[in-house]
Amino acid sequence: MQYIPLTVVLVLSCLISQVFAQTRVIDSLKNAATQAEPDTVKIESLRQLGVLMSDHDVAMAIEYVNKAIDLADANGHESLKTEAVNSLGIIYYGIGDYEQTLECFLKVQAFQESRNDLMGMSRIYNNLGLLFKELGRFGKSIDYLERSVELKLQTSDTLTLSSSYNNLGMVYQEGLNDYKRAAECHNKALVIDRRNKDDYGIFVSLANIGLNHFKLGHLDSAQLYYNDAVMLFDKTDDRYVKAEFLYEYGLLNTALGQYDRAIEKHNLSIEMAKKADIKLLLKNNYEGLSDIYSKLGDYRKALQFHKMYSQVNREIFNSDQSSKIAEIETNYHLQTKQSEIELLRKEAEIKDLKIYNDQMAFYWLIGMLVLVVFIVVLQYRKNVYRTRTNKILRQKNQEIIVKNQNIMDSILYAKNIQEAILAENDRLKAVFKDAFVLTKPRDIVNGDFYWFAEEGNYVVIAAVDCTGHGIPAAFLNVMGNSLLNQIVNEEKIIEPAEILRELNIRVFKNLKYDNVRSKSNDGMDIGICLFNRVNRKLAFAGAKRPLYYYHNHQLNVLKGDHYPVGGILYDEHRVYHQHELVLQESDSIYLFTDGIVDQFGGQENKKYMYPRFRELLRKIATDPMAMQVEAIEEEINRWQGNNEQTDDILMIGVRV
């Protein structure tokens, strides 16, 4: 079988999914750019369209972003114009046109500093730091990136703080060979990315840490970090970052003598760099391939790739471009000085106006006295109106209190009726010496209920969870209790599966699901079992509820069927499956509703869930039932903490 590297598989699968996803997004943005009414939507659509197109057609991408800039300029949208200029600079950076990149970034810097937009300043400082790194001006790069980190910490901009730490680490790593400081920056970035669960950021941080180990000559450690990064390769759409990662991984493969893998990664990086016109990476990959073929003794190919490297290097950076960049920087500083002079001139004008303002202050004082008198009169009238309004509100509040008290009295009376109708816990304990019933309604009346019946040597026990909670669930509660009495006590149907089938039919009839105008999906989740007191045989059937039983020192689970009793989401005629088993003396069985496992709490405010509940039962299964119910209640209260109770809670425990 032919070997296919994992990196190649990830790249190919990622590229295929990106093509379809980006095509849909590009079509949507084109429609918005041509048909949207607000200018702001058109501008933003054109900008985003340019950013996406930069991976496919750089010339078209630049055209779209320039259209966004022109439209924003024509309509006075300075903030949107600045965003578009920043995006244009990033596109120029990708293709190695650093002259245009610097011009764009300095415009953005001037705008953000004029508004004292700390978050905007932190992000443009990050971009300028990257640019000066590529220009080899590492001191200036570090200055910008450290200012970026400082502002992001000041504004709590954790979403992009990781990026600035990573970029600062790269400058220490590549420019100054200070691998200790580089490692500190990259590790800080990784901690932030993992805290934010940012897969893209984790990928970049792992790759940078791997590169740091590579530079130090720790090749095995570098490969471990690169392999971890590969698993997150398809979590980003940033083609520049992916192409750069493949280039660096190719260098590591070369250092390890894995030339075939290195060639594959360099070629994949070149393919992605060509599509996005990333000249800097083309240059680096050509140099890497030239080095590999030289090591392999294929000097013809080595010379070929070296020529390609030299050609791209000349295109990226030449002496003319260096002078233009210096000129752009000089012009920016001159403009800054002119702005400072203009500010001083305006301050002088303000001082000249101060005398005039002092003269006007007297007239303003008289006007303020008149205004104060007017406000006092208005306040007096307002107080009279407030006194009259408060009197009316007190009367209304008293009426509401009386009505609420009547409603509460009715609910408490309904609770008493419900408790009178439902089975008493003492009946279960009279049959089974060691047993408990735990009930914790979320509201005053309960939506969950326990049901019990005796028929000769047989005992029927059920734990029922009616849809919802509170008063609506209590009505279902009473209806379910009545139907179970009819089915078991009057009609002598005692097989659990048959009880559920018959109960489902009667719930459908009572709730009139056949009425097309009815939108009700009310129903019940039930766990029901039949126990023979003579031979200890137990039969169980469940509608979305399981039976847990402790047998031979193990906690076992019998799952119920996946559909409830009632509800319009399933057919009326349902078949419920019956499970049978033989219990031994001292075995325990547990029936419960989902209120326990669905309760939110704990340090991370998550649901309690079934695995944690089963582990609790395993720990306490051999204790007396009275101790078990105390342990369960204590665990529920501990987990819930200060949270509200999520749902009604019901649990039945019986020891044979």
Side-chain angles (χ1 to χ4, degrees):
M1 182 180 293
Q2 186 176 3
Y3 168 75
I4 301 176
L6 175 61
T7 310
V8 178
V9 175
L10 288 173
V11 172
L12 293 176
S13 63
C14 182
L15 289 176
I16 291 170
S17 62
Q18 285 177 4
V19 168
F20 290 106
Q22 289 192 355
T23 300
R24 288 195 297 270
V25 175
I26 288 172
D27 291 340
S28 175
L29 288 172
K30 284 182 178 178
N31 290 333
T34 54
Q35 299 176 10
E37 284 300 323
D39 292 329
T40 54
V41 175
K42 286 185 178 180
I43 294 166
E44 184 60 17
S45 298
L46 286 167
R47 186 190 70 80
Q48 291 186 23
L49 192 56
V51 172
L52 283 177
M53 290 296 294
S54 64
D55 282 348
H56 310 284
D57 187 335
V58 175
M60 186 63 70
I62 292 172
E63 182 180 341
Y64 278 124
V65 178
N66 276 321
K67 285 181 180 179
I69 293 171
D70 293 340
L71 186 58
D73 195 30
N75 291 276
H77 299 301
E78 287 296 322
S79 294
L80 291 178
K81 176 184 174 182
T82 302
E83 283 290 324
V85 170
N86 186 62
S87 297
L88 185 61
I90 292 171
I91 294 171
Y92 280 129
Y93 176 85
I95 63 175
D97 191 340
Y98 298 144
E99 175 189 341
Q100 297 277 18
T101 303
L102 181 60
E103 189 169 350
C104 291
F105 285 173
L106 289 178
K107 288 179 181 178
V108 176
Q109 179 185 358
F111 177 77
Q112 302 293 17
E113 289 179 343
S114 70
R115 299 173 62 210
N116 197 32
D117 182 348
L118 300 184
M119 185 172 289
M121 290 161 59
S122 71
R123 297 187 178 186
I124 192 59
Y125 291 164
N126 176 76
N127 293 352
L128 282 163
L130 276 178
L131 175 61
F132 283 112
K133 177 182 80 71
E134 297 301 335
L135 293 172
R137 298 171 64 177
F138 302 114
K140 194 155 192 174
S141 174
I142 289 174
D143 178 56
Y144 270 117
L145 289 170
E146 286 182 342
R147 288 160 68 187
S148 174
V149 168
E150 181 182 351
L151 287 176
K152 287 178 180 180
L153 290 170
Q154 184 178 339
T155 57
S156 300
D157 185 8
T158 57
L159 292 177
T160 60
L161 178 59
S162 165
S163 172
S164 292
Y165 271 131
N166 266 321
N167 295 335
L168 186 59
M170 288 166 58
V171 180
Y172 282 124
Q173 183 186 83
E174 297 176 18
L176 304 180
N177 296 328
D178 190 341
Y179 301 118
K180 181 179 179 182
R181 286 193 179 181
E184 290 174 357
C185 293
H186 294 323
N187 283 315
K188 285 180 181 179
L190 183 59
V191 170
I192 294 169
D193 294 328
R194 284 179 169 159
R195 186 188 307 136
N196 293 337
K197 297 180 180 178
D198 180 0
D199 289 334
Y200 166 68
I202 295 171
F203 166 73
V204 173
S205 298
L206 288 172
N208 285 334
I209 294 172
L211 180 60
N212 208 49
H213 281 285
F214 178 33
K215 296 283 187 180
L216 288 168
H218 306 154
L219 303 187
D220 290 339
S221 298
Q223 191 166 29
L224 284 174
Y225 279 103
Y226 278 178
N227 287 338
D228 287 344
V230 164
M231 303 309 296
L232 299 170
F233 191 86
D234 60 348
K235 297 293 185 180
T236 175
D237 295 332
D238 191 332
R239 186 171 290 172
Y240 185 97
V241 171
K242 288 183 175 183
E244 186 174 36
F245 172 72
L246 290 171
Y247 159 71
E248 291 169 354
Y249 205 162
L251 294 180
L252 176 61
N253 288 145
T254 301
L256 291 168
Q258 301 165 347
Y259 298 125
D260 289 341
R261 295 185 185 181
I263 291 170
E264 285 176 349
K265 291 184 177 69
H266 282 309
N267 285 328
L268 283 169
S269 180
I270 288 170
E271 181 182 348
M272 298 175 75
K274 282 182 177 179
K275 288 181 179 179
D277 197 14
I278 307 172
K279 292 182 179 179
L280 176 64
L281 286 175
L282 284 175
K283 178 195 77 169
N284 292 341
N285 278 292
Y286 290 149
E287 185 180 25
L289 286 171
S290 176
D291 179 56
I292 291 171
Y293 284 115
S294 178
K295 285 181 169 62
L296 292 172
D298 190 342
Y299 299 109
R300 183 181 62 82
K301 282 190 175 181
L303 180 59
Q304 175 187 346
F305 281 109
H306 184 75
K307 288 180 178 179
M308 296 166 72
Y309 155 78
S310 299
Q311 175 63 29
V312 176
N313 192 43
R314 284 193 297 270
E315 293 175 6
I316 290 177
F317 203 79
N318 51 51
S319 58
D320 182 54
Q321 190 179 46
S322 299
S323 61
K324 288 182 179 179
I325 288 173
E327 182 181 346
I328 291 170
E329 277 195 272
T330 302
N331 289 337
Y332 172 74
H333 291 304
L334 286 174
Q335 290 173 5
T336 304
K337 291 295 183 183
Q338 289 174 354
S339 298
E340 292 174 357
I341 293 170
E342 181 66 18
L343 182 62
L344 290 172
R345 185 182 64 80
K346 289 182 178 179
E347 287 178 353
E349 292 178 358
I350 291 171
K351 289 179 181 178
D352 292 337
L353 288 172
K354 188 175 185 302
I355 297 174
Y356 174 76
N357 290 338
D358 290 340
Q359 294 173 349
M360 294 297 295
F362 175 74
Y363 301 109
W364 276 106
L365 180 60
I366 295 174
M368 288 298 295
L369 288 173
V370 174
L371 181 62
V372 168
V373 173
F374 180 69
I375 290 173
V376 169
V377 173
L378 285 180
Q379 188 64 38
Y380 173 76
R381 296 184 62 185
K382 182 178 178 182
N383 289 339
V384 173
Y385 174 77
R386 183 186 293 121
T387 302
R388 188 183 305 120
T389 303
N390 287 341
K391 182 178 180 181
I392 296 171
L393 287 175
R394 282 194 295 271
Q395 293 174 350
K396 295 294 182 183
N397 286 338
Q398 190 60 38
E399 293 175 6
I400 292 171
I401 290 170
V402 173
K403 289 181 180 179
N404 285 341
Q405 185 60 47
N406 291 336
I407 293 171
M408 183 58 66
D409 291 342
S410 298
I411 293 173
L412 291 172
Y413 188 66
K415 178 186 178 184
N416 293 334
I417 295 173
Q418 184 186 46
E419 290 176 348
I421 293 173
L422 298 178
E424 297 178 355
N425 297 352
D426 292 341
R427 292 186 63 191
L428 179 68
K429 295 179 180 178
V431 176
F432 300 99
K433 294 182 180 179
D434 200 7
F436 72 82
V437 177
L438 170 64
T439 58
K440 288 174 67 69
R442 202 197 84 158
D443 302 310
I444 295 174
V445 289
N446 204 338
D448 295 356
F449 71 94
Y450 137 75
W451 192 86
F452 176 87
E454 292 182 84
E455 187 64 36
N457 291 323
Y458 291 97
V459 177
V460 181
I461 308 172
V464 187
D465 183 356
C466 298
T467 301
H469 44 75
I471 294 176
F475 279 111
L476 280 175
N477 181 316
V478 173
M479 183 188 75
N481 181 76
S482 176
L483 292 176
L484 285 170
N485 285 332
Q486 292 174 17
I487 295 168
V488 178
N489 293 330
E490 297 177 15
E491 300 178 17
K492 307 303 180 184
I493 299 173
I494 63 173
E495 293 296 331
E498 186 64 19
I499 293 173
L500 292 183
R501 187 189 70 81
E502 189 65 29
L503 181 61
N504 179 66
I505 294 172
R506 299 188 189 198
V507 168
F508 261 77
K509 184 181 296 183
N510 278 271
L511 294 182
K512 298 176 182 173
Y513 289 129
D514 55 344
N515 183 347
V516 295
R517 292 174 297 176
S518 175
K519 302 295 184 183
S520 173
N521 190 36
D522 296 327
M524 307 170 191
D525 299 344
I526 305 177
I528 185 166
C529 60
L530 172 69
F531 180 70
N532 187 325
R533 287 183 283 190
V534 176
N535 56 20
R536 296 197 186 97
K537 286 186 177 180
L538 182 136
F540 167 76
K544 294 187 70 175
R545 300 308 311 145
L547 170 76
Y548 286 3
Y549 67 96
Y550 191 78
H551 175 72
N552 287 338
H553 307 291
Q554 289 186 343
L555 184 68
N556 305 280
V557 179
L558 289 180
K559 293 184 178 180
D561 292 291
H562 69 279
Y563 36 75
V565 167
I568 60 175
L569 297 180
Y570 302 91
D571 294 336
E572 177 180 355
H573 299 289
R574 304 172 194 170
V575 176
Y576 296 90
H577 297 86
Q578 185 161 304
H579 308 270
E580 296 184 355
L581 53 92
V582 177
L583 298 175
Q584 298 176 359
E585 187 174 352
S586 298
D587 285 355
S588 302
I589 62 171
Y590 303 94
L591 292 170
F592 57 94
T593 60
D594 60 2
I596 296 177
V597 295
D598 285 348
Q599 177 61 48
F600 281 91
Q603 293 183 352
E604 299 180 1
N605 198 30
K606 294 182 177 180
K607 288 186 178 182
Y608 193 69
M609 302 301 288
Y610 287 94
R612 191 177 282 109
F613 183 53
R614 288 194 292 269
E615 184 60 29
L616 171 64
L617 291 181
R618 289 190 188 98
K619 291 179 180 178
I620 65 175
T622 57
D623 295 338
M625 286 297 174
M627 294 178 63
Q628 289 190 37
V629 71
E630 289 181 4
I632 292 169
E633 283 194 275
E634 182 180 340
E635 176 67 5
I636 292 171
N637 293 332
R638 182 197 66 79
W639 181 261
Q640 181 178 341
N642 295 325
N643 292 317
E644 292 185 1
Q645 185 171 328
T646 307
D647 197 0
D648 298 320
I649 293 174
L650 168 66
M651 183 171 181
I652 304 167
V654 172
R655 174 162 289 144
V656 177

